[in-house]
Amino acid sequence: MRLLIVEDDADLGDALGRRLKQDGHAVDWERDGEAAHDILLYQSYDAIVLDIELPSMDGIALLAALRRRGDRTPVLMLTARSRIDDRIDALDIGADDYLSKPFDVREFDARCRALLRRSRGEATNVVEAGALRFDGVAKLVSIGDVQLTLPNREFRLLEILIGNLGRVLSKEQIASQLFDFDDEAGPNAIEVYVGRLRRKLGDALVIQTVRGLGYLTTASGEN
C-alpha cells in the first residue's frame, strides 16, 4: 500500500516513514502543507498521515481542501494539540482518526492498519480466497497447511491483488501503490514480482495477464 506522511518534524517524519517501510509499504514524506496539497492533486494514496501544525498550509486547511474536491482517502491526524475542540474540528472536517503526540508506535501501527482496511472496504485483516489465507497483521500467507515465505515487496503486491480480486489492474495502477517517489522501478519490475508470486502461489491464486491492460487475479476455480 502507498501512504503519504505530512509532518514537519524531521525526527518524527523519518521515524514514521522507516516504520511503515519496514512493513513493506511505499511511503512518501512531505514537510510542507502546500507542497503536500500539490502532490495530492495528481497522486493518489491508500491513506494519509497528516499533522495539523504545518508550514504554508496547516493540516486542517489541507484536509478541508481534500474533502471539498471529493477525495475520500482515509486520513489519520497527528498533532501535539490535546484540546477537545481541535479533535472535534478535525473529525467534523473529515478526518477518519486522530492521534495525539506523543504516542506509542504500536498504536500508530494499529490505527494505520485500520485506515488501510477501510480504504479497501474490509472489516478484517484476514482474507481467504479459495485455499489461500492472507493475514495482513501477522504478515502470514498460507495455502492449506503450508505457510509461504514472502519478502515485503511480494507480500504487499499480493495484498494489492487480493484487494482487487476480479478486477483488471494495469501495471501503472499496481506501481502507484507498490512504489514511492524514491523507488527507481519501471513496468518490468512489476512483471518480475508477478512472476515470483505466480511460482510461489501455484494454482492457489490465478494471476492472469490481460494483454494490453494488465493483470486479472481470481481465486482458483473461479476462472
Side-chain angles (χ1 to χ4, degrees), residues 12-179:
L12 180 58
D14 179 65
L16 296 181
R18 284 188 286 106
R19 181 85 178 189
L20 292 170
K21 286 184 177 182
Q22 284 173 0
D23 282 339
H25 298 295
V27 181
D28 296 316
W29 171 29
E30 276 298 332
R31 305 184 187 188
D32 180 271
E34 192 169 334
H37 173 270
D38 292 344
I39 288 173
L40 287 165
L41 291 174
Y42 67 86
Q43 177 63 54
S44 61
Y45 291 90
D46 296 287
I48 301 168
V49 179
L50 178 60
D51 188 25
I52 286 184
E53 297 180 358
L54 295 167
S56 301
M57 174 186 284
D58 68 27
I60 294 294
L62 176 54
L63 176 61
L66 199 67
R67 296 306 187 224
R68 276 197 304 270
R69 61 175 181 265
D71 192 321
R72 309 313 304 168
T73 304
V75 174
L76 171 63
M77 299 295 293
L78 298 181
T79 181
R81 301 177 185 176
S82 58
R83 291 196 312 116
I84 187 65
D85 288 346
D86 293 322
R87 283 177 281 182
I88 292 172
D89 287 345
L91 293 170
D92 281 345
I93 289 172
D96 295 87
D97 203 354
Y98 193 105
L99 194 56
S100 295
K101 306 172 186 176
F103 50 82
D104 190 305
V105 291
R106 293 171 300 176
E107 182 178 6
F108 172 78
D109 288 344
R111 290 178 184 268
C112 284
R113 288 195 297 268
L115 284 191
L116 292 171
R117 285 201 308 271
R118 193 173 307 165
S119 74
R120 299 191 299 267
E122 299 171 357
T124 175
N125 284 295
V126 178
V127 178
E128 295 184 354
L132 181 72
R133 189 174 191 274
F134 179 95
D135 188 330
V137 173
K139 296 187 70 175
L140 295 177
V141 179
S142 57
I143 299 174
D145 296 329
V146 179
Q147 186 171 313
L148 304 184
T149 300
L150 298 180
N152 274 337
R153 192 59 60 81
E154 292 176 30
F155 182 88
R156 294 306 173 190
L157 172 59
L158 178 58
E159 183 177 39
I160 293 168
L161 297 176
I162 285 180
N164 291 276
L165 287 176
R167 292 180 53 203
V168 176
L169 290 179
S170 68
K171 291 180 182 178
E172 291 73 19
Q173 287 174 311
I174 295 173
S176 71
Q177 297 182 65
L178 195 60
F179 304 125

Side-chain angles (χ1 to χ4, degrees), residues 129-132 143 165 201-207 217-223:
L132 181 72
I143 299 174
L165 287 176
L201 296 174
D203 296 331
L205 200 68
V206 179
I207 307 173
T217 305
T218 56
S220 181
E222 293 183 3
N223 282 19

